[in-house]
Amino acid sequence: MLLKRCNSVYRTEVHAFLKQKYGTSTEAPNDCTYRSPLPAKASVVICGGGVIGTSVAYHLAKLGLTDVVLLEQGRLSGGVTWLSSGVVGCLRKGAERNLCQISVSLYKKLQDGGHDIGWSQHGSINLARTENRMIALKRLVGQAKVQNLSCTFLDKKEIAKMVPNMKVSDLEGGVWIPEDGVVDPAKLCKTMAFLAAQKGVTIVEDCAVMRVTSASQRVKAVQTSDGTIDCEIFINCAGQWARQLGQQADIPVRIPIHAMEHPTIITKAVPGMEHVNAVIRDYDGSMLFQPLQLGCLRIKGFETGAKSAFKDKIPTDFQFKTLEANWDNYGFLLRRLNYRFSGCDHQPAMYMVNGPETFTPDGTWILGEAPEIDNYYVATGFCDMGVSAAGGVGQALAERVMGIDGPLMTDLWSLEIQRFFEGHNTRKFLQDRVPEVLGKHYQVAYPLTEYQTGRRVRLSPLYPILSSNGGIFVARMGYERPMWFTEDSEVIENHVKGGAMQETFAKPRWFDDVEAEYHACREGVCLVDMSSLTKFELWSKGMEVVHLLQYLCANDVDVPIGSIIHTGMLNHHGGYENDCSLVRMEQNRYFMISPTSQITHAWEWISRHLPDDGSTQISDVTSKYTVMNLIGPKSRDVLNLVTDTDLDNFPYFTSQLINVGQSGGVKALHMTHSGEPGWTLFVPSELSMHVYDSLMTMGKDYGIINAGYQAVRFLRIEKFHTLWGEDFDRWTSPIECGAAFLVKFQKATFIGKGALLRQKEEGVSRRLVQFHLEGHDLDSDSWPWGGEPIYRNGKYVGLTRSTCYGFTLNRMVCIGAVHNFEPETRKRLVVDNNFITDPSAEFQIEIAGKRFLATPHLHPPRMSAVATETGLKYKPRIMPSVRTSTL
């Protein structure tokens, strides 16, 4: 009855009531129009007149680029911007937090500069009902405080004092963020457009983009409802229409976003809220409470099971419109309001405003240059945080377009559009996945959190048998790959049902399973299905492919046939665009292996450098081969039993075509991705089951077992083997990550050589360092999972990247990026060996608010290894670890 009566509130009366008494307009703002003639050409064309597009235009103009045209199919802010709550929150993970902090600084500056954007900075109260939620908040606060975001922990009494009528008995505590605030989204959008236009940016409303044309895979022109405009750069800031617009390019651009219903309810006055101005986030209730005037609230929630906003394409005329109120699906918002606040009216809702909000498949924003077309940039999918993001995103994208190097440029890989592949952009996948993403928006982000929708699409031929043997899988680039194996029936049943992989920040339930697999790799033999690895072939008729790879790669690729070369493909800054192993199969043919996450990015990087004459070709053969990593000191004995190849004449870091059982044509690489002895077998997929059965049958007497990626990961971190996308990225150089020995400076030229030579001469401002934690209790302390602050003599110097428990070293091991910041300006100074190894330097790593001593290492540790030549009878010996490929 309550919901029905709320739903029957007369709409026009509520519009007038809200506008007059509560300052919450639901009408289109009566702004001036921008109806300039469409120019014939421009340097940059931006599509989308919302808060993101106008921010990009404003920042480009601020940087001096005014030959910019912003196109809006309707009126500025008319899509989703005008419906936004305007809440700006900064307690986010790394890159997103930095951009939100820039937004706060900009909005405050605009307001203080006389521009009425409705900015008010009353802070936010972030609640925790559980111990694990408090740990999650402590982890976020640890990262935020070192980036100068003020954060204060609150207990129940302090929260009750700040919000007198709110229930606090179920709380563990909370966090106060005084810098958070609220802005009027429409006024902000209008102001940034006005300032951009003042500086010379052309804004054209009622002008729809119909198509983006290209020549030689580079942006050429934009066809609009007002004609065609030539341009060099196109920026897609079309919000919920961004995906549709991407498909309207000459070469369709994949932009995986999906619009969901995301309603807010305006309540009547809530007792005790008249003098509360801070936004309240009840994470464990999946609720946000935004105080309005006179004690009223705007409330919204993030619940699994949300509905898609549109059945098919989004109408182009969806301007200053709302969706139909949906009380059946979203009535829970009122029940949670009554749970948290006592004394509410028995009919607490005045009105529901139901509007669309765009989310991505992983709940993280989308920025960057599209892999399909050069100079086609994208900024969309802000997951209910578009206004929070706008100021920072506009600056970051403007700097990217202008080619300006700065700290923003180095920290945005996690947001890059190239982290997706084509399977992420299908309508069916998005319709299944995004409702789950919305529901997880406020859930605790445990380590190894996995989505359960859109799964079991890309499968290795071994998947059925590995699954039946207790395999626990995660999806990477849509590919299911085993993380570990277990005999725990409860864990298996939970995994089959789609349950969480772990719900703790401490010692995980899978620890013993991974330990057994780790020791099998170190002392016996195991088989790991690594079929998800990116695999390309490159070839030419003549020597063109060799010349191309010599230019792209830092290492020397002109090596004997059968050799394996581990190399980086660098950019002009000296950073890694691709970290790969190359096998020279023939004089003019190479086989390339890269990490799973690089399939889109590596393809794009190599393709854009291919000769225009077609003399060099590239082919994606990822699905052609099943990859079996045979690891351990007994791997030679097992492989000897199933192949005719003389393994004594099979040198390390070389490749041969071998048979396994009755299957020929197996590419065998004498290397593993763990630093342990063994072979990586690239098996034609139709032969994979026979090869697997042969190895497992003949390896039974040697104790062969299935193992997963987690054991391989622990092995490589313990040996200080770094991984692209986790430990380093496109802004990290080989010198910074200790891989200068893989750079051949004597080569005439290669991309990035000049930057590396400057680094050798001037030094670097960042180094990857391995840390061994002291005094950490494996069983009772929270574990490091990446992103923990690193301190040197009490001063913040960086964050951890990848972490593990070292079963051989018997301690927690972290790989982190260490900087040397100038105290006042935070300018990055040179980091030399002495900065790391100085005996007077005390390093600490903070885990969920607790600091642990950490011993730094610039080189791989000395670890016991197992001799491989004596089969079952082996004797441990000590030998230095050597860095090898760690894809």
Side-chain angles (χ1 to χ4, degrees):
M1 179 63 69
L2 178 146
L3 297 184
K4 290 182 179 179
R5 295 190 66 176
C6 289
N7 199 26
S8 67
V9 176
Y10 190 53
R11 181 168 186 156
T12 55
E13 290 183 356
V14 172
H15 273 230
F17 181 71
L18 293 176
K19 185 175 181 182
Q20 179 180 353
K21 291 195 71 175
Y22 294 94
T24 307
S25 173
T26 57
E27 298 177 354
N30 186 24
D31 299 338
C32 62
T33 59
Y34 293 90
R35 205 62 187 90
S36 304
L38 185 71
K41 62 179 181 178
S43 295
V44 179
V45 172
I46 303 169
C47 177
V51 72
I52 301 295
T54 54
S55 178
V56 174
Y58 165 75
H59 282 95
L60 284 172
K62 188 177 177 182
L63 291 172
L65 180 57
T66 57
D67 186 20
V68 176
V69 175
L70 188 151
L71 305 177
E72 165 55 47
Q73 64 183 354
R75 297 278 303 281
L76 295 180
S77 81
V80 175
T81 292
W82 76 287
L83 276 172
S84 170
S85 65
V87 172
V88 180
C90 295
L91 193 58
R92 301 285 295 173
K93 52 192 175 184
E96 294 181 359
R97 180 189 61 253
N98 294 342
L99 296 178
C100 289
Q101 287 181 262
I102 292 171
S103 295
V104 168
S105 178
L106 172 65
Y107 302 162
K108 187 176 186 301
K109 183 178 180 180
L110 290 174
Q111 187 74 32
D112 293 345
H115 301 286
D116 180 17
I117 60 171
W119 172 247
S120 60
Q121 198 165 16
H122 295 296
S124 70
I125 302 170
N126 303 271
L127 307 180
R129 299 189 191 183
T130 67
E131 182 181 354
N132 275 344
R133 174 66 68 181
M134 279 302 298
I135 293 174
L137 289 176
K138 287 177 181 178
R139 290 175 58 83
L140 283 175
V141 167
Q143 298 174 19
K145 290 178 75 171
V146 298
Q147 297 296 337
N148 296 322
L149 179 66
S150 177
C151 307
T152 303
F153 286 103
L154 304 171
D155 60 26
K156 293 182 185 181
K157 291 181 180 180
E158 291 169 317
I159 296 171
K161 186 176 181 179
M162 297 175 76
V163 191
N165 192 43
M166 185 172 71
K167 178 179 179 179
V168 299
S169 59
D170 63 338
L171 300 181
E172 287 284 327
V175 177
W176 165 245
I177 312 293
E179 294 177 26
D180 285 355
V182 177
V183 70
D184 184 311
K187 288 183 177 180
L188 174 63
C189 183
K190 173 184 175 181
T191 297
M192 290 192 293
F194 171 76
L195 293 173
Q198 256 194 343
K199 291 181 179 293
V201 171
T202 300
I203 300 175
V204 186
E205 293 181 308
D206 297 317
C207 180
V209 173
M210 313 303 292
R211 192 172 189 83
V212 178
T213 63
S214 56
S216 301
Q217 292 188 295
R218 181 178 291 269
V219 167
K220 178 183 179 183
V222 179
Q223 297 174 0
T224 78
S225 55
D226 286 6
T228 298
I229 176 172
D230 294 333
C231 64
E232 300 171 15
I233 295 170
F234 178 75
I235 306 177
N236 184 339
C237 301
Q240 61 182 342
W241 290 277
R243 180 175 180 270
Q244 290 177 197
L245 181 60
Q247 295 174 326
Q248 293 168 208
D250 275 358
I251 304 172
V253 174
R254 302 188 297 267
I255 306 174
I257 58 171
H258 189 64
M260 302 296 298
E261 286 190 359
H262 194 47
T264 62
I265 294 175
I266 311 301
T267 75
K268 296 178 181 178
V270 174
M273 294 299 291
E274 297 87 352
H275 304 293
V276 176
N277 294 309
V279 170
I280 301 166
R281 295 183 183 86
D282 185 358
Y283 289 115
D284 299 300
S286 297
M287 291 289 291
L288 180 142
F289 304 99
Q290 177 187 352
L292 303 176
Q293 298 179 28
L294 303 180
C296 296
L297 296 177
R298 184 199 305 266
I299 64 174
K300 61 181 175 181
F302 300 87
E303 189 75 2
T304 300
K307 293 181 61 179
S308 295
F310 304 96
K311 292 183 179 179
D312 196 6
K313 288 189 175 182
I314 303 171
T316 57
D317 64 351
F318 192 83
Q319 299 286 323
F320 296 110
K321 293 182 179 180
T322 61
L323 303 170
E324 183 178 352
N326 185 351
W327 290 102
D328 291 336
N329 272 58
Y330 303 105
F332 72 89
L333 297 170
L334 296 181
R335 292 190 291 272
R336 294 185 182 177
L337 169 72
N338 286 323
Y339 173 83
R340 186 54 63 194
F341 295 94
S342 61
C344 293
D345 192 280
H346 67 286
Q347 297 175 17
M350 286 199 297
Y351 192 63
M352 175 184 284
V353 181
N354 192 7
E357 182 58 56
T358 301
F359 289 80
T360 64
D362 59 1
T364 301
W365 312 341
I366 294 177
L367 289 179
E369 187 176 10
E372 296 86 356
I373 304 176
D374 289 351
N375 288 347
Y376 188 118
Y377 291 87
V378 180
T380 189
F382 291 99
C383 306
D384 194 50
M385 294 199 67
V387 175
S388 293
V393 165
Q395 179 180 329
L397 199 52
E399 290 182 1
R400 176 83 170 267
V401 168
M402 297 281 286
I404 296 174
D405 296 337
L408 275 183
M409 298 283 284
T410 64
D411 298 321
L412 299 180
W413 169 250
S414 62
L415 310 182
E416 285 281 348
I417 189 171
Q418 296 183 16
R419 70 184 187 269
F420 298 111
F421 86 113
E422 59 185 355
H424 290 134
N425 196 44
T426 66
R427 182 181 300 165
K428 172 63 175 171
F429 172 80
L430 292 169
Q431 289 174 341
D432 290 348
R433 168 60 64 82
V434 171
E436 184 185 5
V437 172
L438 190 153
K440 285 183 178 289
H441 190 68
Y442 270 8
Q443 291 182 10
V444 176
Y446 290 109
L448 295 179
T449 295
E450 280 290 301
Y451 293 100
Q452 301 306 321
T453 50
R455 296 291 298 273
R456 288 169 287 282
V457 177
R458 299 181 75 194
L459 301 176
S460 159
L462 303 183
Y463 177 84
I465 192 168
L466 297 181
S467 180
S468 66
N469 279 279
I472 305 298
F473 293 81
V474 301
R476 294 294 179 267
M477 283 299 190
Y479 218 121
E480 298 289 335
R481 62 187 198 182
M483 288 300 286
W484 65 86
F485 292 79
T486 185
E487 296 179 355
D488 188 328
S489 59
E490 184 178 338
V491 172
I492 294 171
E493 183 180 359
N494 181 62
H495 181 63
V496 170
K497 291 180 178 178
M501 300 186 73
Q502 69 179 65
E503 293 185 348
T504 180
F505 292 99
K507 184 178 179 180
R509 187 168 178 171
W510 44 257
F511 180 86
D512 292 340
D513 294 319
V514 172
E515 182 179 19
E517 294 172 19
Y518 171 98
H519 287 299
C521 293
R522 290 277 289 147
E523 301 167 11
V525 59
C526 67
L527 189 149
V528 184
D529 180 6
M530 302 183 73
S531 301
S532 67
L533 287 173
T534 296
K535 301 175 279 290
F536 297 158
E537 287 189 1
L538 297 98
W539 70 93
S540 61
K541 288 185 178 180
M543 296 296 288
E544 295 88 351
V545 68
V546 181
H547 301 323
L548 172 67
L549 290 175
Q550 287 287 55
Y551 177 64
L552 290 178
C553 298
N555 209 338
D556 183 9
V557 304
D558 193 3
V559 294
I561 293 172
S563 298
I564 302 171
I565 316 103
H566 190 61
T567 183
M569 294 184 180
L570 310 180
N571 53 41
H572 291 284
H573 304 281
Y576 282 91
E577 294 290 344
N578 183 20
D579 183 45
C580 62
S581 291
L582 287 168
V583 184
R584 192 168 194 178
M585 305 301 295
E586 300 172 15
Q587 195 70 14
N588 54 359
R589 180 179 290 268
Y590 289 82
F591 184 69
M592 191 193 87
I593 311 108
S594 290
T596 304
S597 62
Q598 282 197 271
I599 188 166
T600 299
H601 184 67
W603 178 271
E604 182 272 337
W605 181 255
I606 297 170
S607 296
R608 69 162 54 184
H609 290 95
L610 291 176
D612 292 335
D613 60 8
S615 59
T616 303
Q617 298 293 313
I618 182 173
S619 176
D620 180 0
V621 295
T622 298
S623 299
K624 185 177 178 180
Y625 296 99
T626 301
V627 182
M628 302 182 204
N629 207 346
L630 192 65
I631 303 174
K634 301 178 186 177
S635 58
R636 175 186 293 269
D637 302 277
V638 174
L639 191 57
N640 251 330
L641 296 175
V642 294
T643 185
D644 300 336
T645 301
D646 181 4
L647 299 183
D648 290 333
N649 291 312
F650 197 153
Y652 188 61
F653 241 60
T654 65
S655 173
Q656 296 183 26
L657 282 177
I658 70 170
N659 74 293
V660 177
Q662 300 179 40
S663 300
V666 174
K667 283 184 173 62
L669 278 60
H670 194 176
M671 54 167 276
T672 67
H673 307 280
S674 62
E676 298 296 329
W679 278 264
T680 305
L681 308 178
F682 292 79
V683 184
S685 289
E686 69 274 14
L687 306 176
S688 57
M689 282 308 302
H690 173 74
V691 171
Y692 176 82
D693 287 341
S694 298
L695 291 169
M696 297 303 286
T697 299
M698 300 307 292
K700 186 175 181 181
D701 289 342
Y702 293 86
I704 192 171
I705 64 169
N706 291 305
Y709 269 80
Q710 197 72 336
V712 175
R713 185 174 185 274
F714 277 36
L715 286 162
R716 69 101 181 158
I717 294 171
E718 191 176 30
K719 294 182 180 66
F720 198 5
H721 295 179
T722 53
L723 178 67
W724 193 96
E726 188 168 337
D727 299 307
F728 63 94
D729 55 26
R730 63 195 308 181
W731 297 101
T732 314
S733 77
I735 296 174
E736 291 174 321
C737 61
F741 65 95
L742 294 175
V743 178
K744 295 299 183 283
F745 287 99
Q746 63 268 34
K747 290 203 309 182
T749 185
F750 58 86
I751 299 176
K753 181 179 179 179
L756 296 186
L757 289 173
R758 286 192 297 274
Q759 288 185 5
K760 286 184 69 177
E761 181 178 346
E762 300 170 4
V764 295
S765 61
R766 170 176 52 186
R767 294 288 297 272
L768 289 186
V769 180
Q770 187 190 65
F771 293 96
H772 301 168
L773 296 193
E774 310 294 340
H776 182 277
D777 190 297
L778 171 68
D779 297 305
S780 61
D781 285 321
S782 290
W783 279 28
W785 295 100
E788 289 81 17
I790 305 168
Y791 293 88
R792 181 184 184 271
N793 294 338
K795 187 181 79 170
Y796 168 72
V797 292
L799 296 172
T800 64
R801 298 295 181 86
S802 57
T803 65
C804 77
Y805 182 76
F807 291 106
T808 298
L809 297 175
N810 291 316
R811 65 192 63 225
M812 283 291 175
V813 180
C814 305
I815 296 175
V818 172
H819 307 260
N820 182 12
F821 296 110
E822 203 280 328
E824 298 299 326
T825 64
R826 294 186 67 81
K827 178 183 177 182
R828 295 177 179 180
L829 307 176
V830 170
V831 177
D832 57 18
N833 286 0
N834 185 62
F835 186 80
I836 307 299
T837 60
D838 183 353
S840 66
E842 180 182 270
F843 284 89
Q844 294 175 304
I845 292 178
E846 181 178 305
I847 305 173
K850 183 178 180 180
R851 295 190 186 182
F852 297 88
L853 287 176
T855 305
H857 298 272
L858 286 172
H859 304 288
R862 293 176 62 85
M863 294 172 58
S864 61
V866 180
T868 62
E869 63 273 10
T870 54
L872 286 169
K873 298 178 181 179
Y874 61 87
K875 181 178 180 181
R877 60 190 174 92
I878 301 295
M879 61 179 292
S881 174
V882 177
R883 293 195 187 191
T884 59
S885 174
T886 56
L887 304 178

